[in-house]
Amino acid sequence: TILSRQEDLQKDQYGFVLQPGGKFIERKNSGPCATPPISYKNYGGTWERLNDSLVKIRVGYWGGMMRYDMKIVQLDRDTLKMQYRYYEK
């Protein structure tokens, strides 16, 4: 996944914010259907840095809570390249 830095979360796009103190906000689809038109919603959660390239995420979604690791592949001032590693329930 490749994301570009933005000033704010976009109304109709996926995005997230890593905030100080381990607070995490993720903007994603607000329901189980991913067929357009898609409605987006902000979900709260937490983040924890595991090492220089791995961040553990716990965040809500339309069906409850999810956990995943975000592996940082490349990071510069404007672009983040990453991979998601989801946990089994």
Side-chain angles (χ1 to χ4, degrees), residues 14-37:
Y14 173 80
F16 63 85
V17 180
L18 297 169
Q19 297 181 326
K23 187 175 178 184
F24 183 75
I25 304 295
E26 187 172 34
R27 184 175 224 12
K28 56 189 168 184
N29 56 312
S30 62
C33 184
T35 304

Side-chain angles (χ1 to χ4, degrees), residues 21 40 72 83:
Y40 289 83
I72 299 168
Q83 296 174 330

Side-chain angles (χ1 to χ4, degrees), residues 25-65:
I25 304 295
E26 187 172 34
R27 184 175 224 12
K28 56 189 168 184
N29 56 312
S30 62
C33 184
T35 304
I38 298 173
S39 296
Y40 289 83
K41 178 180 173 181
N42 290 349
Y43 293 90
T46 60
W47 67 273
E48 176 186 353
R49 180 179 166 185
L50 300 177
N51 60 42
D52 285 346
S53 63
L54 202 57
V55 178
K56 179 184 262 183
I57 306 292
R58 180 173 170 83
V59 66
Y61 75 105
W62 59 266
M65 291 295 290

Side-chain angles (χ1 to χ4, degrees), residues 1-5 72 74-82:
T1 301
I2 301 172
L3 298 174
S4 298
R5 180 183 297 266
I72 299 168
Q74 184 178 348
L75 176 64
D76 62 36
R77 187 180 187 307
D78 297 314
T79 306
L80 168 65
K81 294 181 183 180
M82 65 183 181

